[in-house]
Amino acid sequence: MWQSSPPGSIYDYIRVASFSIGPDGLIEQWSRRAAGLFGMASDEVVGRDPVEAFMPAELRPDAHRRVGEILDGKEWTGLVPFRIPGENAVRGLAEIYVMPSETGAGERAALCIVVDVRALRRIETDLAASQAIFGQSPFGFVLFGTDFAVVRANKRFATVFGGEADDHRGRTVEDYLARPEAERLSATLERVLETGEAVTDLQLVGTPPGSLGRRHWSMNLYRVHSGSGRPVGIAGLATDVTQRHIAAREAASARRNLALLNEASARIGNSLDLETTARELLDVAVPGFCDLASVDLYQGLLTGEEASPASWGRHHQESGTGSAELRRVAHASAVSDALPGVLPGVGADAGDSGQPALGSVHRYPFHSPCAVALRTGRVEDVPGGERGFVHSTLAVPMVAHDIVVGLVQFSRTKGSEPFGERDRALATELAARAAVCIDNARLYRREHERALILQRSLLPPGDPEAAGLDIACRYLPGNTATEVGGDWFDVIELPGHRTALVVGDVMGRGLRAAVAMGELRTAVRTLALLDLEPAEVLSALDEVARGLGTPGGGERSDGFGAGGGAQWPSRAAHKSREADLSEVYLATCVYAVYDPVTRRCTFANAGHLPPVVAEPGEPALLLDVPPGMPLGVGGEPFEEVEVELKEGALLALYTDGLVESRDHPLDEGLDAFRQALAEPSQPLEDVCDHVLTTLDTRHGEDDIALLMARIQGLAPDAVGDWRLPRELRSVARARELAREQLTAWGLDDLVDTTELLVSELVTNALRYGEGEIRLRLLRDRTLVCEVWDAGLVQPRRRRARDTDEGGRGLQLVGLLSAAWGSRRTPRGKTVWFELALPDGEPAAELSVEQLLSMY
């Protein structure tokens, strides 16, 4: 069958031409390819001597000889230089095949086949270069035909997929790749062949013959054309990028691990609660690191046992009975169809699901991986899982400061990669970070509980009682998320049925603040029993506070202003100095003394918020008490303010937690507090509850102390008050007045004792005192007798000698009274004694030993 040569034939590349020489040695026929090769048309060369037409002059003699030999019937092949017309004497080189021939008349002629040597050399060079690139390339080189079958493959390709290079001719992509990858490559080959657009970095995954591991290749594909531009196939260059893929995966894993650790640093330990910290760990780990996870903590840690943490699990571990008791405090799952307990191998105390329930207490068997991890402090692999759902689990001990506090289990389900060494290191780091936070929370909780116990033990139990006052109080400590503060209040009974009301706040938090509060409260009670004036109490208390700590440097009064001023200092301003005075105990305090006889209350303030008074029918007011400096600052005296309070008035002392928070300024809180006291006539307990429920206290941010007292002065008929001249007959007059008053009160059982003791005190006032004598009897829950004079010398109880005729009066007063003492007054002193009211039982008589002790 005749057919035309397709475009791009090999003859187009090697440029084969022909011409013939007649018997006369002249060119007889001239082909079109010859015209193209030599650049001369047939009418220019037909009938001419080929030697004269093409060859340089210096070669012509030898060329004429050769032509003669050819016409004599001799074949000849050789390289013949020729001039290229129009190229400025540029010479070409032709390889000529001369074959003798005969004409129809039997004459000798010749047929010449000419090949352009330059084209041959180019083809040889291109073939050599192509063979070198294709055959010697370290990359897999493959050529697909237009039917997508392999036309040619190099040795590197055969090395990967087996056999010799020629063995791969005719194979298709299905012979090398699994169906999904083969279909993807076939679609890509078809697209490249149709569009001519190259594809670079096509990622393919497969398993070469005889290999167990999966390999990754990056393939570049481009369409191959003939010289005329006709597509003849698709060339593919495949590079094995398995190691690069592994490195990229490891780099991605490292970045993921670093991101997880960074997230763990930000999210774990934001709370000082043990269970919350455990949940924060799982929030980070699931699903970023694993599919399932759980946290078990030692029961001894959760219950706050005082035993050493190292001994929590020692008994059971040494005895071989298994781990100590643990409690499941957190569980997390990223698998929607996972059962509540699908982590493998938990032991005898596990439920039907294989895992302890959240919140349950359990033990791990002695030889289980979890118990081994707890015992050794090393990560253990837990084999198996429920119905094969979990294929990889790590039991990681939570170690803080060489102490194991619990166990965390990380699990991965089918479809996720098993844990590797890098994952084990990350799991250990995550567990360690959470363990440190949990141990810190444990230590904080222990300190918080101790501080809370100490603080509560120092507060008055229940609602205190006081003469002429109805008292209600509230104390709300900060929640477990905040440290214990130094707020306190106290109600102290003073001689003469007077009452000291105290509210204070030590700046700072924690056990240190609670201890400082206890020391200052004790000092207040001690100073109050000395019956000092309120300003004197605060001055002495300031010295106590200054002696409690060691200054941290700098002036102690910086930032607190000078002089009291009309405005009380902001609590926030005092706290801003806490960092600079970290070793100095600073506190604010209000000290008030109430006298029920006069219904007058004397206040002194050391940097505290002002008292609030609500009188019947009047709006609540802030008392203008000069605030002074906080305790521990020193350098400024304290001022006193005396206020007469109406019957039924409400007095409120409080700490800043009641009226100040981060969400509203202090002035707004004080205004809201005064408005909450709009109806002070309600029962006092109801008023307290109303205040706490009305104000936006944001309870938990700070401690709150509230002390409220309703004024109920002593009735006039409960007070007997007389003035006596400095005369001897005043002693008898005092006994007479006392007897009449007690008889009027129905206290006949106390008449004899009272007469005797009044006689002793009045006698001492006449003998050792000065000025007018005043006798006062007060009846409330007890009977109080006071003798006033202008002398400044305080009485002192002493043991009289056997020869002394006197000196036994105060001893008698001490034996017969429930309590006695003396105090200074603005104009002298007061000596007093107190007797319990009769309860129907006969009064106890003095024993012989008590009577003899006076002699």
Side-chain angles (χ1 to χ4, degrees):
M1 179 181 294
W2 293 89
Q3 62 180 10
S4 61
S5 177
S9 170
I10 186 65
Y11 300 106
D12 294 335
Y13 289 104
I14 61 177
R15 301 178 68 180
V16 178
S18 66
F19 65 90
S20 63
I21 301 176
D24 55 1
L26 301 178
I27 297 175
E28 191 176 62
Q29 293 179 339
W30 188 254
S31 68
R32 291 182 179 180
R33 285 187 178 270
L37 174 64
F38 293 102
M40 300 175 68
S42 61
D43 58 354
E44 296 181 70
V45 295
V46 173
R48 294 184 61 185
D49 185 345
V51 175
E52 297 295 332
F54 310 125
M55 298 192 68
E58 65 271 13
L59 298 178
R60 290 174 183 173
D62 185 61
H64 283 295
R65 183 176 57 81
R66 295 288 184 185
V67 172
E69 292 177 352
I70 293 170
L71 293 178
D72 290 338
K74 185 178 180 180
E75 292 185 0
W76 183 82
T77 302
L79 298 176
V80 178
F82 63 90
R83 291 180 291 107
I84 300 177
E87 294 191 10
N88 299 323
V90 174
R91 293 184 180 184
L93 185 64
E95 185 172 16
I96 301 179
Y97 301 89
V98 182
M99 295 171 290
S101 64
E102 293 181 358
T103 65
E107 294 180 316
R108 298 280 181 92
L111 176 64
C112 300
I113 304 298
V114 183
V115 178
D116 188 349
V117 174
R118 292 180 302 173
L120 287 176
R121 295 294 179 267
R122 285 197 298 269
I123 292 174
E124 290 175 354
T125 301
D126 291 346
L127 287 175
S130 175
Q131 182 62 31
I133 295 174
F134 196 87
Q136 301 174 20
S137 172
F139 308 111
F141 215 118
V142 62
L143 179 64
F144 296 96
T146 55
D147 59 352
F148 307 137
V150 175
V151 176
R152 187 178 182 186
N154 68 350
K155 290 183 179 180
R156 176 59 182 167
F157 186 88
T159 300
V160 174
F161 290 98
E164 298 296 330
D166 292 340
D167 297 338
H168 293 273
R169 295 180 186 273
R171 293 183 180 180
T172 62
V173 294
E174 286 79 5
D175 296 321
Y176 303 105
L177 300 173
R179 179 178 295 274
E181 291 290 87
E183 292 177 351
R184 192 161 64 91
L185 178 57
S186 297
T188 305
L189 290 173
E190 184 176 355
R191 186 172 68 254
V192 172
L193 184 62
E194 290 179 356
T195 65
E197 296 180 357
V199 173
T200 59
D201 197 24
L202 175 65
Q203 296 293 317
L204 298 172
V205 181
T207 303
S211 175
L212 298 178
R214 292 160 61 88
R215 310 295 294 179
H216 296 260
W217 295 282
S218 172
M219 199 164 193
N220 297 330
L221 299 171
Y222 56 93
R223 190 170 68 183
V224 180
H225 306 85
S226 66
S228 62
R230 179 175 59 88
V232 296
I234 303 101
L237 180 65
T239 306
D240 191 332
V241 294
T242 303
Q243 294 300 321
R244 187 175 73 186
H245 182 80
I246 293 174
R249 185 173 59 186
E250 290 181 351
S253 176
R255 288 193 298 270
R256 181 200 65 186
N257 292 352
L258 288 175
L260 275 175
L261 290 177
N262 183 61
E263 184 181 6
S265 300
R267 296 180 60 181
I268 299 177
N270 293 322
S271 168
L272 288 173
D273 179 73
L274 300 175
E275 290 82 357
T276 302
T277 301
R279 288 193 295 270
E280 290 170 346
L281 168 62
L282 299 193
D283 289 342
V284 172
V286 179
F289 177 67
C290 62
D291 301 314
L292 300 167
S294 66
V295 176
D296 299 317
L297 297 180
Y298 276 120
Q299 180 71 353
L301 180 147
L302 295 169
T303 56
E305 292 181 8
E306 289 297 327
S308 168
S311 67
W312 286 330
R314 185 178 301 158
H315 169 72
H316 294 282
Q317 299 287 15
E318 293 178 352
S319 64
T321 59
S323 69
E325 289 186 340
L326 298 108
R327 186 192 304 172
R328 177 62 51 86
V329 297
H331 175 82
S333 171
V335 184
S336 59
D337 57 347
L339 297 175
V342 293
L343 298 178
V346 286
D349 291 349
D352 296 337
S353 65
Q355 277 288 300
L358 188 63
S360 65
V361 178
H362 62 95
R363 289 190 177 94
Y364 290 111
F366 185 80
H367 294 292
S368 66
C370 294
V372 173
L374 289 169
R375 187 164 59 249
T376 62
R378 295 193 299 268
V379 180
E380 294 290 330
D381 292 305
V382 182
E386 186 169 304
R387 296 189 298 277
F389 183 76
V390 173
H391 71 83
S392 185
T393 297
L394 297 178
V396 186
M398 305 179 73
V399 183
H401 312 299
D402 297 328
I403 297 173
V404 178
V405 299
L407 182 79
V408 56
Q409 294 183 69
F410 301 108
S411 295
R412 288 180 179 173
T413 59
K414 283 191 173 181
S416 300
E417 292 186 2
F419 291 112
E421 287 302 317
R422 190 188 300 272
D423 295 323
R424 293 169 69 93
L426 177 60
T428 302
E429 180 65 21
L430 288 174
R433 294 195 178 197
V436 170
C437 296
I438 287 175
D439 193 52
N440 290 340
R442 174 185 68 84
L443 296 174
Y444 165 77
R445 186 176 66 178
R446 183 176 65 179
E447 178 177 328
H448 183 275
E449 290 175 350
R450 290 177 177 177
L452 196 58
I453 291 172
L454 173 62
Q455 187 182 50
R456 289 178 175 175
S457 67
L458 295 175
L459 295 175
D463 289 333
E465 295 182 354
L469 292 175
D470 181 15
I471 296 177
C473 52
R474 295 289 187 274
Y475 179 76
L476 302 178
N479 57 34
T480 56
T482 59
E483 292 187 88
V484 170
D487 295 15
W488 92 92
F489 68 91
D490 208 347
V491 178
I492 308 169
E493 293 188 61
L494 300 178
H497 287 314
R498 294 171 304 133
T499 303
L501 305 175
V502 188
V503 168
D505 185 1
V506 176
M507 298 182 191
R509 293 184 177 278
L511 188 60
R512 174 181 178 272
V515 170
M517 179 270 282
E519 292 177 328
L520 292 177
R521 178 179 181 270
T522 301
V524 169
R525 296 188 70 88
T526 302
L527 294 169
L529 294 178
L530 296 177
D531 213 353
L532 302 177
E533 296 297 323
E536 293 177 328
V537 170
L538 292 186
S539 295
L541 196 62
D542 177 65
E543 292 297 328
V544 173
R546 287 166 61 86
L548 290 180
T550 302
E555 295 295 328
R556 303 178 66 162
S557 59
D558 287 352
F560 295 98
Q567 299 293 328
W568 54 89
S570 169
R571 172 74 169 168
H574 300 331
K575 289 181 177 178
S576 67
R577 292 289 295 160
E578 188 174 346
D580 295 332
L581 302 175
S582 58
E583 295 297 326
V584 178
Y585 290 82
L586 299 178
T588 62
C589 180
V590 169
Y591 185 86
V593 175
Y594 171 68
D595 188 343
V597 178
T598 62
R599 292 199 314 276
R600 301 186 71 84
C601 191
T602 305
F603 297 91
N605 189 352
H608 202 79
L609 296 174
V612 176
V613 171
E615 296 184 343
E618 299 291 338
L621 299 175
L622 299 176
L623 289 181
D624 186 12
V625 180
M629 303 298 290
L631 301 175
V633 176
E636 293 291 334
F638 297 97
E639 300 182 46
E640 293 182 359
V641 172
E642 188 176 59
V643 179
E644 183 175 351
L645 302 174
K646 294 183 179 179
E647 185 77 16
L650 193 63
L651 173 64
L653 305 179
Y654 52 95
T655 57
D656 62 339
L658 183 69
V659 295
E660 185 178 24
S661 74
R662 291 175 295 181
D663 299 326
H664 58 75
L666 176 61
D667 291 340
E668 291 184 7
L670 291 173
D671 290 339
F673 183 31
R674 291 192 298 109
Q675 293 173 9
L677 298 177
E679 298 182 7
S681 59
Q682 295 181 347
L684 200 55
E685 295 291 338
D686 294 344
V687 175
C688 285
D689 294 337
H690 176 70
V691 167
L692 293 178
T693 56
T694 301
L695 297 185
D696 182 17
T697 61
R698 297 298 173 98
H699 174 49
E701 294 181 359
D702 197 1
D703 293 2
I704 296 174
L706 174 62
L707 177 60
M708 304 188 75
R710 176 168 286 122
I711 305 302
Q712 297 174 347
L714 290 182
D717 60 359
V719 179
D721 195 349
W722 306 276
R723 297 183 182 275
L724 303 172
R726 293 191 60 82
E727 300 175 353
L728 290 178
R729 60 189 181 91
S730 294
V731 176
R733 177 59 179 165
R735 289 198 299 267
E736 180 182 357
L737 293 172
R739 181 172 59 252
E740 292 175 353
Q741 186 64 69
L742 291 181
T743 300
W745 286 340
L747 301 178
D748 296 331
D749 293 342
L750 300 181
V751 170
D752 294 339
T753 303
T754 304
E755 282 192 51
L756 176 60
L757 299 185
V758 165
S759 177
E760 290 294 336
L761 294 187
V762 173
T763 300
N764 284 344
L766 288 173
R767 180 178 299 177
Y768 305 108
E770 299 178 6
E772 187 180 43
I773 298 172
R774 181 182 176 187
L775 173 65
R776 189 168 74 169
L777 295 179
L778 306 175
R779 185 199 66 186
D780 193 70
R781 291 173 299 147
T782 62
L783 176 67
V784 174
C785 176
E786 299 175 332
V787 176
W788 307 46
D789 69 77
L792 298 177
V793 178
Q794 296 292 318
R796 180 172 60 89
R797 182 177 177 180
R798 62 184 178 85
R799 180 177 295 276
R801 294 189 296 270
D802 293 344
T803 57
D804 290 344
E805 295 182 359
R808 298 179 178 85
L810 292 181
Q811 286 184 274
L812 188 63
V813 171
L815 289 173
L816 295 178
S817 65
W820 79 278
S822 66
R823 67 178 185 274
R824 291 182 300 167
T825 64
R827 301 181 184 84
K829 66 176 181 298
T830 300
V831 183
W832 58 272
F833 67 83
E834 183 176 341
L835 296 175
L837 297 182
D839 53 4
E841 296 293 332
E845 296 183 356
L846 294 178
S847 64
V848 175
E849 290 76 8
Q850 290 175 322
L851 291 173
L852 291 177
S853 67
M854 293 186 293
Y855 296 92

